[in-house]
Amino acid sequence: MDDLERELRDLSTWLETPDPPDVIARVRERIAAPPRRRRRWRYYLAAALVALGVAVLPPGRAALADAVAGLLRFAGVTIAVSPTSPPPPGTPAPLPSQLAVDLNEAARKVRFPVRVPTRLGPPERVLVADPDPVGSYRVATLLYRGGALRVDAFDGHLDPVFQKQASGPGVEWVQVDGGFAVWVAGPHTVTYVDPTGEVRVETARLAASTLIWSRADVTYRIEGDLTQAEAIEIAGSLR
């Protein structure tokens, strides 16, 4: 052991041992320094990804759940999908208190802007229907091609206004000007729902293919003998 201790002492003269670090000084320096800003970009990135995930989904989880169950609600229109859809009986009645007006008068009688698709031009006929207690009408309708093509508009906050009964797989999500819309292909039954929530069965009629979309809190439905692409093009020209 003595020999080993002697060799170690001799070896120590050849080694350079650094001074121990001043730990206390470093701790004091860190305490005195201003707090470092946290990197919040991770949180911002996560929030952006969540927002993107919501944006690319059809509007409303409830709407998705209803769609799976065969019932879709979108912008004041309820669409029930079943394997078969019986045709409406009899001759359909007009919407309640329906009135023929011009465009300027229609703009005064409803509480939302009446926009015209530039792709179609001025309508041949304009209708308003179902006034509320203060005299404002709930629905404005632009008619084209002798009434075979129509554009209905109403306040998108109202729910529901129209009820549809469709059969087959012809109901799908599409897009109009980057926003969501619903396309109902082929003939289907459409019925008006009054402000009390009563389904006005006397208005039930067989509707043609229909595109439903919303813009600036106003819901529109274009109906006629149109392809999906044609309907989307007309909807995109709304001004």
Side-chain angles (χ1 to χ4, degrees), residues 70-232:
L71 182 65
L72 172 67
R73 297 183 180 93
F74 177 72
V77 180
T78 300
I79 307 170
V81 181
S82 60
T84 60
S85 178
T91 302
L95 300 187
S97 302
Q98 185 169 281
L99 179 67
V101 296
D102 60 31
L103 273 175
N104 292 330
E105 190 176 0
R108 293 192 298 267
K109 288 185 175 295
V110 299
R111 295 185 177 181
F112 49 87
V114 179
R115 296 186 175 92
V116 176
T118 57
R119 178 74 171 74
L120 296 176
E124 300 167 6
R125 196 174 178 211
V126 182
L127 304 172
V128 292
D130 202 1
D132 62 19
V134 298
S136 294
Y137 287 74
R138 297 179 83 213
V139 181
T141 301
L142 311 182
L143 298 175
Y144 299 87
R145 303 176 188 174
L149 177 63
R150 61 186 292 155
V151 179
D152 292 313
F154 60 90
D155 185 347
H157 293 102
L158 303 176
D159 191 16
V161 174
F162 288 100
Q163 184 180 86
K164 292 177 175 287
Q165 181 73 41
S167 60
V171 179
E172 60 179 305
W173 291 103
V174 295
Q175 285 198 331
V176 171
D177 283 343
F180 283 100
V182 174
W183 171 251
V184 184
H188 58 281
T189 302
V190 59
T191 312
Y192 185 72
V193 182
D194 70 16
T196 68
E198 179 184 354
V199 179
R200 305 294 289 264
V201 294
E202 69 273 13
T203 68
R205 62 181 177 83
L206 196 62
S209 297
T210 303
L211 178 69
I212 306 162
W213 75 102
S214 181
R215 176 180 171 183
D217 294 328
V218 179
T219 298
Y220 299 91
R221 58 179 302 277
I222 182 170
E223 174 195 330
D225 185 15
L226 299 166
T227 65
Q228 184 185 113
E230 290 171 336
I232 292 174

Side-chain angles (χ1 to χ4, degrees), residues 40-53:
R40 297 185 178 274
W41 62 268
R42 294 185 180 89
Y43 302 100
Y44 298 144
L45 177 60
L49 291 175
V50 170
L52 178 61

